[in-house]
Amino acid sequence: MEKEIKQLKKDLEQAIAKVNDVKSLNDLRVHYLGKKGKITGLKEMLKELSVEDKKTAGKLFNDFRQEATDLIEEKEINLKRKALDEQLITEKIDPTLGATEIKTGSIHPLDRTIKEVLDLFVSMGYDVVTGPEIESDEYNFARLNLPKDHPARDMQDSLYVATDYLLRTQTSPTQVRTMEENKAKGPIRMIAPGKVYRKDDDDATHSHQFMQIEALVVDENINLGHLKGTLELMVQTLFGKERKIRFRPSYFPFTEPSLEVDVSCFRCDGEGCSFCKESGWLEILGAGMVHPAVLEMSGYDKEKYSGFAFGLGVERLAMLKYGINDIRQFYQNHLHFLELFERIDKEGHK
Amino acid sequence: MKISRNFLADYLNIKKVDFPQLAEKMVALGHEYDSYYRLVDASKLVIGQVIDCQKHPNSKKLSVCQVDTGDGTKEIVCGATNVAAKQKVVVAKVGAILPGDFKIKKAKIAGVDSHGMICSFAELGFDKKFLKDSDWQEIMVLDDKAPVGADALEYLELDDEVIDFDLTTNRGDLLSMLGMAYEIGALYQLDVQYPPTDYQENNESIANKYSLNVTTDKCPLYLAKLVENIKITDSPQYIKNRLIACGIRPINNVVDISNYVMLETGQPIHFFDADKLQNIGVRMGKKEEVQTLDNQIRKADENDIVITNNDEAIALAGVMGGLSTEVTAETKNIIIESAIFHPSNIRNTAQKTLRSEASSRFEKGIAKERTFLAIKRACYLLVKHAEGEVAKDMLKHDKMPVVDKEITVSLEHINRILGMSLSIDAVSKVWERLQLPYQKRQNVFRVLIPPRRLDLHIAEDLIEEVGRFIGFNEIKSSLPKTTIKKGMWDEKMVYCQQIRDFLIAKGLRQTINYSLVSVSDNKMFSSQKPIALLDALSKERDVLRTSLLTSLLNTYNYNYARQIKDINIFEIGAIYQKEQTYQEENRLAILMRGVYLQNKWQKMSVTVDFFLLKGIIEELFNYLGLQNRYTFKVSTINNFHPYQASDIYINNQKVGIIGKVHPELANDVYMAEFDLEYLYDIAIKPIKYKAPFRYPSIQKDVAFLMDADIPTAEIEKVIKQAGGRHLEKITVFDVYEKEKQKSIAYSLLFRDETRTLNDEEVLNILAKIINVVEEKFNAQVRNK
């Protein structure tokens, strides 16, 4: 028996070595391990052996049959792997070839800037407010302490649609509307973005249409320090943690005191460079303490309440932040311009 | 407002003040400036004397001069017509620099060496408007006392510096040298000196010859003085220089004095030719005409204040004098007017005629004391520089009450608004610097406001003064102490942002376009009458848009013209209309064109067509919770392709349109527009859990042949009805048309969510569907 097994094993090994595909291997399997297979045939020999010999030979037979099965299976795995390898090589690609072009959308830079500012202020408990773009003379001017024939009306050339209605020249009427809606009671924290219009010819720095964000805080004991702290937080959020602000006295009829606010130049850290015209500072917005007459006209008790307000130009902010030099770009919507804003931006806005 | 250093020095001792530094310090006080410059940007100009002047040997127009410049005699070739021996002249020696960085070098002119240049007034770099023809052709000839070899600019008082301030409109008081002297005096803690007004009067009387009758309360103060026998000539150099430095063209000694006094005091004054005047009146206009100095006929109505002679309007008060009483070269006697007119009337008149130096001062208000000061200063200067003789009396209309304005402000109030903790002393010092008299009782100040400070009305105005002089940057920053509350977004705005972000995710770019458009542009996609501006800047932008589509199409054209062919953009913005009131309605507009997805080397591309845009819109509606609620209906829309346009409905309400732009306007462009207000108002069901499918579906395909004009939406409606609850989904997978018939193939998906369907029952449903469709649309089923 041992002899036969040895011979058969040799034959099998030679046969397996010669096989090159799965089909031939299957034939081979049948040839050796099938019902009438050569190995299966050995089983017949066992019948003729003594009980004692049968025991030894039986083990030999079983071991051999297992070994043969394993050998064929191993060969099968090898053959399949080889076949797959051959398949894979035909699927070879050049990963440096061009990708499928998938369109990317983008938020408009003005909306993006508004979102950044609003996110900050909403997180501080400010309510977002909107107001009409076609506004009454009353709300746009008179209720903001700018009666008819006030020389300060020259600061904003207006576009009228009727004797008493105009395209709002500023978002400040939202201050009045909010105070009114609040029924002259209790504290206010509001932020109001929107389009405004001036009778200006369009050029690199002027636009007859632009966007502003208005903020108003009214409460007991509001002071200029609060305005400063709030604006510092804002410029640090928008332009980086190191930014400082500077107040310069100014004049707006609806605030007293009135201030122009500068941010330390984020290109040169306030050292002075061509971007900030060597001054180290960039003008970003107008602000002040709400004029008592404005509080009063909206029904607020000026003895009990005080407030601060500011209005910032969204274009101005975006132009500074991204180094845009022509305000008309925002409204031309050149796709190459819009494309610039399809990606994220991390802090450190140099 | 231009401030000259030499001019200012008359009222304030600013010898030690660095002028550029002054400009910077003023910025910190709230006074921005446009520019700082030296009046004459030249150096090394000296006084010389022409010793000898001969004709140039090679040129008729030139002269060869020997000029003593104090350090020797120089040969200089000169082209001026008036050059002559013995003249004292301004010489730019070799090495001197004239305005425009013009360096003087040794030169050979027509063969003769020239060691410098004799200067004309024009060569000092003044703006053309200040120059006469002779200033170009003739050299400056100085008086005999001019010291040879001395600095010429210093001698001529042209060594001046100028700051051009851009002042805020509330500080009308700073439109004068005196006002500036107070402000700068407060900055440097210097005292203001008033200019001299001491002159002799004669025994003539204005009251004997003239009358004054003011009949309007819009002129509360009117003063008139008579000055006789004036001699009209050129102004002295210092007056000319200062007018030029302040941007006013010198004319003659008399006219210049009126401007000089206005610059000095802030009070505009006017001179009439006294011989053309008898009975002076001031009244409101009554729809009459006035011929003004500039030879124009101006209309005056009941809002304009006019000056009259014998009740005939001769001048627009405070804005412009009249031609008939103008001071001319022949004028001998003049009447000086110094008055106060109501600011809003002046503003109104100036707006429709002309904004002048005078009107801009009147409309910001004048302090009464300046009205008196100005008329005295004018007399003083007319005596000094025009040999005038001043009559002893004055015509006066004075209905202007003298009000002692006093503002009370407590230290606590100051600190409460500024967020500082200033001491009584620190605040007192500010009042002192500003020369504001005050009293203090405990911690309360009573501050007396001098008439010149017309801008100070309430406590907060004074608090601002404290802030300005202490420095707003001394304020420590903090955040308001307040109760914590949630910041609320505007819900409609959030809805728009959600739509925006959805479209961005689909590969579209957000645009923002102008609200103002032209009438013809607006008409393209809207039949609504737009709101028009009363006074538009241009025809391109004179109405408010009633559709966003033209804006998007214009943006498309702008980009297409710049070789950008694949364009996927949208805008969310308002349209405007007037019904009972003004309405602003948010809309969404989308424009798509070109390749949406592609891989060129793989020869794969998806190009925008009607159905791609439709897909984006359907996905958007689904995103907005409006699944199965919208329908598309065939439509024709102005300027859209006649057979590729559709209205979109929700709940039987038209909410928008979609279609291909008419090929006459643009190639292969697809657009859609929606009313977001309506969409926003639709109530939607909340998201609710539903178990995933547990039982398999069965798919059946069926094709019909029918009239080509029947929209598939109608067929699907019928199929859906017939299919009942087991019909889960209908998909069209093939359509083709032939001879007004179309074949349309549907793939129908059946499912029961509680059990496995068997084929037989599905076939029964299918048979029912086929039956109904065939009957309803006169259709034939194809390959069953």
Side-chain angles (χ1 to χ4, degrees):
Chain A
M1 182 87 180
E2 205 180 333
K3 206 174 110 197
E4 282 85 354
I5 288 176
K6 212 170 182 180
Q7 182 57 48
L8 217 46
K9 189 177 173 186
K10 204 175 159 191
D11 291 352
L12 178 66
E13 279 169 353
Q14 278 171 2
I16 287 175
K18 279 182 198 152
V19 167
N20 270 326
D21 57 281
V22 176
K23 191 181 171 294
S24 312
L25 188 70
N26 280 338
D27 293 347
L28 183 142
R29 182 186 280 124
V30 174
H31 185 70
Y32 283 90
L33 293 167
K35 274 180 187 164
K36 291 172 185 166
K38 283 189 174 171
I39 294 172
T40 322
L42 283 177
K43 216 171 176 179
E44 295 299 312
M45 290 175 72
L46 286 175
K47 289 175 187 165
E48 290 153 30
L49 294 176
S50 66
V51 177
E52 198 67 7
D53 287 347
K54 206 185 251 179
K55 212 176 172 182
T56 326
K59 188 169 180 336
L60 276 176
F61 170 78
N62 281 335
D63 287 353
F64 175 53
R65 193 167 65 175
Q66 187 58 49
E67 192 185 356
T69 308
D70 290 351
L71 279 173
I72 292 170
E73 237 164 60
E74 190 192 326
K75 178 71 181 187
E76 188 178 357
I77 290 168
N78 284 340
L79 280 178
K80 282 189 174 164
R81 181 172 299 141
K82 201 178 147 212
L84 183 62
D85 283 348
E86 279 162 10
Q87 163 73 20
L88 290 182
I89 205 161
T90 67
E91 291 171 12
K92 182 178 160 191
I93 61 154
D94 172 5
T96 64
L97 268 169
T100 301
E101 292 164 36
I102 295 164
K103 297 288 167 193
T104 305
S106 51
I107 185 169
H108 192 279
L110 293 176
D111 227 17
R112 181 179 174 129
T113 307
I114 288 174
K115 183 176 147 49
E116 279 181 62
V117 175
L118 261 51
D119 281 347
L120 169 69
F121 281 93
V122 170
S123 80
M124 295 196 288
Y126 286 60
D127 295 334
V128 178
V129 164
T130 58
E133 292 171 32
I134 302 175
E135 185 57 280
S136 66
D137 190 279
E138 173 84 7
Y139 280 101
N140 193 73
F141 288 127
R143 294 281 292 273
L144 288 162
N145 207 24
L146 264 155
K148 279 219 155 69
D149 296 321
H150 194 289
R153 282 200 180 198
D154 288 354
M155 291 157 78
Q156 305 172 359
D157 261 345
S158 325
L159 295 163
Y160 279 83
V161 295
T163 328
D164 289 318
Y165 279 87
L166 71 158
L167 302 185
R168 64 176 173 189
T169 58
Q170 48 193 1
T171 42
S172 310
T174 57
Q175 288 187 31
V176 180
R177 288 178 174 275
T178 305
M179 284 193 275
E180 224 173 49
E181 229 156 81
N182 237 35
K183 303 228 161 46
K185 268 181 274 173
I188 292 175
R189 260 179 285 169
M190 68 131 234
I191 184 112
K195 292 172 183 165
V196 302
Y197 305 83
R198 303 270 170 95
K199 197 173 178 177
D200 265 334
D201 286 319
D202 295 340
D203 61 26
T205 53
H206 295 87
S207 181
H208 72 277
Q209 174 181 329
F210 57 102
M211 291 206 186
Q212 283 189 336
I213 298 174
E214 191 82 12
L216 171 72
V217 172
V218 176
D219 208 337
E220 294 172 35
N221 296 316
I222 293 296
N223 65 45
L224 279 176
H226 300 141
L227 173 66
K228 193 174 185 183
T230 303
L231 290 175
E232 262 170 15
L233 205 60
M234 184 184 80
V235 300
Q236 285 163 5
T237 305
L238 293 172
F239 297 109
K241 287 195 185 78
E242 307 303 316
R243 301 284 71 78
K244 293 183 189 69
I245 61 163
R246 177 176 85 168
F247 281 163
R248 276 180 297 118
S250 187
Y251 171 68
F252 308 109
F254 34 95
T255 48
E256 189 70 38
S258 299
L259 301 160
E260 290 283 355
V261 181
D262 300 337
V263 59
S264 58
C265 182
F266 46 84
R267 295 264 174 107
C268 61
D269 271 332
E271 297 287 320
C273 66
S274 62
F275 190 64
C276 58
K277 296 188 185 112
E278 307 302 330
S279 73
W281 296 94
L282 300 162
E283 190 176 320
I284 53 160
L285 59 89
M289 296 298 289
V290 182
H291 196 290
V294 173
L295 285 174
E296 220 172 9
M297 278 188 274
S298 298
Y300 267 83
D301 180 356
K302 62 174 183 176
E303 304 301 326
K304 186 175 171 194
Y305 289 101
S306 55
F308 69 71
F310 64 83
L312 61 84
V314 180
E315 282 82 352
R316 167 96 188 137
L317 213 59
M319 285 168 92
L320 287 178
K321 183 162 171 170
Y322 301 114
I324 299 163
N325 54 18
D326 190 331
I327 194 169
R328 289 169 295 197
Q329 298 240 298
F330 294 110
Y331 296 96
Q332 275 162 351
N333 297 299
H334 195 300
L335 291 198
H336 291 171
F337 173 72
L338 298 179
E339 234 172 65
L340 299 171
F341 306 96
E342 68 187 23
R343 42 155 287 207
I344 63 158
D345 210 355
K346 288 185 181 167
E347 221 192 298
H349 300 282
K350 293 200 180 184
Chain B
M1 176 70 183
K2 293 188 168 111
I3 297 297
S4 136
R5 182 193 180 104
N6 287 346
F7 205 166
L8 186 67
D10 280 2
Y11 319 102
L12 214 54
N13 183 359
I14 49 168
K15 272 193 202 110
K16 289 178 188 154
V17 171
D18 178 85
F19 227 48
Q21 222 172 64
L22 164 70
E24 289 308 320
K25 286 189 176 184
M26 289 290 270
V27 171
L29 284 185
H31 311 305
E32 293 183 37
Y33 67 97
D34 284 335
S35 54
Y36 157 84
Y37 51 91
R38 289 169 59 207
L39 181 60
V40 177
D41 193 19
S43 59
K44 294 188 190 159
L45 302 185
V46 296
I47 298 167
Q49 183 160 30
V50 182
I51 296 173
D52 183 46
C53 178
Q54 301 292 331
K55 281 272 160 253
H56 191 291
N58 305 324
S59 167
K60 280 183 188 165
K61 286 182 179 168
L62 298 176
S63 310
V64 179
C65 308
Q66 305 303 320
V67 184
D68 175 9
T69 53
D71 55 352
T73 303
K74 309 220 162 30
E75 184 174 67
I76 296 175
V77 176
C78 180
T81 49
N82 65 327
V83 65
K86 291 188 182 162
Q87 281 172 338
K88 295 273 180 76
V89 293
V90 178
V91 180
K93 294 193 291 187
V94 172
I97 298 168
L98 287 177
D101 208 20
F102 174 36
K103 292 191 184 74
I104 303 299
K105 293 174 192 152
K106 189 181 139 187
K108 222 176 194 105
I109 299 175
V112 177
D113 280 343
S114 183
H115 302 266
M117 188 169 122
I118 303 176
C119 297
S120 73
F121 192 60
E123 275 151 354
L124 299 184
F126 296 108
D127 191 293
K128 273 189 209 133
K129 72 175 176 186
F130 300 123
L131 302 173
K132 297 185 285 238
D133 284 350
S134 60
D135 291 332
W136 293 93
Q137 291 143 7
E138 297 174 2
I139 52 163
M140 276 185 280
V141 179
L142 311 183
D143 62 86
D144 290 343
K145 284 175 278 181
V148 170
D151 186 312
L153 292 180
E154 200 178 308
Y155 181 75
L156 291 166
E157 295 186 34
L158 285 168
D159 56 338
D160 205 355
E161 296 167 273
V162 179
I163 303 169
D164 187 2
F165 284 104
D166 186 10
L167 298 168
T168 54
T169 55
N170 60 326
R171 295 302 301 271
D173 62 312
L174 299 183
L175 297 175
S176 66
M177 292 300 149
L178 271 173
M180 274 291 175
Y182 275 103
E183 188 78 357
I184 294 165
L187 182 59
Y188 289 94
Q189 308 196 45
L190 298 167
D191 286 333
V192 176
Q193 293 139 24
Y194 271 70
T197 52
D198 51 322
Y199 58 88
Q200 294 293 313
E201 292 178 343
N202 61 20
N203 269 330
E204 296 292 320
S205 164
I206 185 171
N208 284 347
K209 297 176 185 169
Y210 302 91
S211 69
L212 173 67
N213 183 24
V214 179
T215 58
T216 171
D217 61 355
K218 302 296 182 195
C219 172
L221 180 62
Y222 195 99
L223 309 176
K225 269 190 93 73
L226 176 66
V227 182
E228 294 174 302
N229 297 321
I230 52 151
K231 303 280 179 299
I232 293 191
T233 166
D234 264 7
S235 283
Q237 193 67 42
Y238 84 95
I239 288 187
K240 282 197 220 172
N241 293 347
R242 288 170 186 194
L243 290 185
I244 288 174
C246 294
I248 293 179
R249 186 164 65 100
I251 308 228
N252 60 44
N253 57 344
V254 174
V255 174
D256 291 354
I257 284 169
S258 70
N259 285 324
Y260 189 86
V261 170
M262 174 183 72
L263 290 174
E264 183 175 70
T265 63
Q267 166 74 58
I269 56 172
H270 185 71
F271 294 164
F272 299 100
D273 187 325
D275 299 320
K276 298 168 186 162
L277 208 59
Q278 293 86 37
N279 299 303
I280 307 166
V282 185
R283 60 167 169 79
M284 300 314 289
K286 34 189 180 187
K287 296 213 162 49
E288 59 204 317
E289 288 179 342
V290 184
Q291 192 172 18
T292 46
L293 277 174
D294 53 354
N295 212 358
Q296 302 252 349
I297 304 290
R298 312 274 189 182
K299 289 209 168 70
D301 63 30
E302 68 279 3
N303 288 317
D304 303 309
I305 310 168
V306 295
I307 310 296
T308 61
N309 180 31
N310 303 327
D311 204 41
E312 187 194 336
I314 52 159
L316 291 174
V319 179
M320 205 191 290
L323 195 64
S324 63
T325 53
E326 187 189 17
V327 172
T328 65
E330 283 74 45
T331 299
K332 294 271 175 292
N333 307 312
I334 59 173
I335 286 173
I336 308 170
E337 166 200 282
S338 184
I340 291 179
F341 303 108
H342 197 282
S344 64
N345 294 87
I346 297 299
R347 181 177 157 78
N348 176 49
T349 307
Q351 263 176 346
K352 50 182 203 191
T353 54
L354 178 98
R355 311 297 287 267
S356 60
E357 291 273 350
S359 75
S360 70
R361 285 172 172 81
F362 277 123
E363 67 175 68
K364 292 183 179 78
I366 309 276
K368 184 176 178 178
E369 56 173 14
R370 294 284 168 81
T371 315
F372 285 89
L373 174 66
I375 206 160
K376 282 187 205 153
R377 277 292 286 165
C379 292
Y380 171 88
L381 291 168
L382 285 167
V383 170
K384 191 171 175 190
H385 297 305
E387 299 175 32
E389 294 162 17
V390 184
K392 63 183 178 191
D393 54 351
M394 179 157 78
L395 296 179
K396 182 159 100 177
H397 166 86
D398 186 356
K399 291 275 169 358
M400 194 151 178
V402 180
V403 194
D404 285 335
K405 206 161 53 171
E406 200 179 81
I407 301 173
T408 305
V409 61
S410 68
L411 183 67
E412 184 272 330
H413 193 185
I414 294 169
N415 283 326
R416 175 156 52 86
I417 294 294
L418 295 178
M420 299 176 97
S421 35
L422 301 172
S423 67
I424 278 279
D425 283 352
V427 173
S428 303
K429 273 211 184 86
V430 173
W431 311 143
E432 282 154 24
R433 288 174 76 161
L434 284 162
Q435 304 196 31
L436 302 176
Y438 69 98
Q439 294 176 332
K440 60 180 176 207
R441 186 178 296 165
Q442 277 144 2
N443 283 339
V444 177
F445 295 98
R446 282 168 59 199
V447 183
L448 194 68
I449 308 302
R452 63 187 155 82
R453 287 305 299 271
L454 291 159
D455 60 314
L456 302 178
H457 306 285
I458 57 172
E460 281 75 6
D461 294 329
L462 284 178
I463 294 171
E464 182 172 67
E465 294 304 286
V466 175
R468 289 201 307 134
F469 282 88
I470 298 284
F472 283 110
N473 291 314
E474 301 300 311
I475 294 170
K476 297 264 182 298
S477 50
S478 63
L479 288 172
K481 286 178 187 61
T482 176
T483 44
I484 288 175
K485 74 176 247 308
K486 177 181 186 294
M488 300 293 287
W489 285 92
D490 178 89
E491 280 184 33
K492 224 177 246 185
M493 196 189 288
V494 170
Y495 192 70
C496 291
Q497 286 170 352
Q498 286 165 333
I499 293 171
R500 175 195 73 197
D501 293 343
F502 173 87
L503 292 169
I504 290 170
K506 287 282 175 281
L508 282 81
R509 299 198 187 277
Q510 184 190 17
T511 66
I512 298 177
N513 294 285
Y514 294 130
S515 310
L516 288 164
V517 297
S518 71
V519 174
S520 58
D521 267 6
N522 194 63
K523 250 190 243 164
M524 286 175 74
F525 297 104
S526 170
S527 54
Q528 280 171 310
K529 189 174 179 285
I531 298 166
L533 294 181
L534 294 185
D535 190 13
L537 274 170
S538 78
K539 283 243 180 283
E540 297 299 300
R541 316 211 169 279
D542 58 356
V543 296
L544 285 160
R545 60 182 175 177
T546 55
S547 161
L548 310 184
L549 290 175
T550 316
S551 306
L552 278 193
L553 193 60
N554 287 342
T555 295
Y556 158 80
N557 282 324
Y558 177 87
N559 280 287
Y560 194 80
R562 284 158 183 78
Q563 278 112 39
I564 300 168
K565 311 290 181 195
D566 302 329
I567 297 172
N568 299 305
I569 52 177
F570 71 97
E571 178 173 17
I572 296 169
I575 59 133
Y576 311 82
Q577 48 194 327
K578 187 172 185 197
E579 285 157 15
Q580 306 303 79
T581 55
Y582 291 104
Q583 302 286 328
E584 292 168 31
E585 213 175 76
N586 273 320
R587 285 211 181 163
L588 161 68
I590 302 175
L591 181 148
M592 297 184 78
R593 189 225 178 251
V595 174
Y596 185 66
L597 190 71
Q598 80 168 354
N599 192 312
K600 270 192 177 159
W601 67 267
Q602 289 188 310
K603 310 204 171 31
M604 184 279 282
S605 88
V606 175
T607 305
V608 174
D609 63 5
F610 183 93
F611 298 101
L612 192 136
L613 178 53
K614 185 182 177 189
I616 290 201
I617 288 163
E618 288 196 352
E619 283 305 315
L620 172 65
F621 282 157
N622 296 345
Y623 173 72
L624 297 175
L626 300 166
Q627 302 92 315
N628 307 324
R629 294 172 71 174
Y630 47 85
T631 49
F632 290 75
K633 292 186 184 168
V634 175
S635 177
T636 50
I637 301 165
N638 198 26
N639 280 320
F640 273 80
H641 191 297
Y643 303 107
Q644 288 196 30
S646 166
D647 292 335
I648 304 166
Y649 282 78
I650 293 181
N651 305 344
N652 290 324
Q653 164 85 26
K654 184 176 155 187
V655 296
I657 56 165
I658 172 179
K660 182 176 187 173
V661 175
H662 200 290
E664 280 176 1
L665 291 177
N667 281 324
D668 305 315
V669 172
Y670 297 85
M671 296 205 296
E673 187 177 36
F674 302 94
D675 175 352
L676 293 185
E677 305 290 328
Y678 184 78
L679 295 186
Y680 173 76
D681 286 336
I682 300 174
I684 59 167
K685 285 183 188 150
I687 295 173
K688 206 175 151 195
Y689 172 76
K690 197 176 148 197
F693 298 132
R694 277 179 295 170
Y695 298 95
S697 62
I698 295 179
Q699 187 190 315
K700 296 287 171 198
D701 293 349
V702 61
F704 298 101
L705 199 66
M706 67 178 80
D707 183 67
D709 281 343
I710 302 169
T712 186
E714 281 178 38
I715 306 165
E716 283 176 35
K717 214 162 129 188
V718 168
I719 293 175
K720 204 170 169 187
Q721 234 163 22
R725 66 178 183 97
H726 286 135
L727 177 55
E728 187 179 290
K729 199 177 173 196
I730 309 172
T731 314
V732 175
F733 69 88
D734 190 39
V735 185
Y736 75 85
E737 278 186 36
K738 201 177 171 187
E739 289 159 7
K740 292 187 177 173
Q741 288 272 302
K742 76 171 162 193
S743 161
I744 183 156
Y746 295 95
S747 167
L748 307 176
L749 202 68
F750 298 90
R751 192 196 308 269
D752 188 311
E753 285 179 39
T754 58
R755 64 188 171 87
T756 305
L757 283 176
N758 62 50
D759 207 50
E760 202 180 324
E761 48 186 331
V762 171
L763 284 173
N764 281 338
I765 303 172
L766 185 62
K768 192 180 159 198
I769 290 171
I770 290 168
N771 218 336
V772 177
V773 172
E774 282 187 329
E775 200 173 302
K776 212 145 201 166
F777 300 107
N778 192 21
Q780 293 100 51
V781 72
R782 306 178 73 227
N783 64 326
K784 233 178 236 185

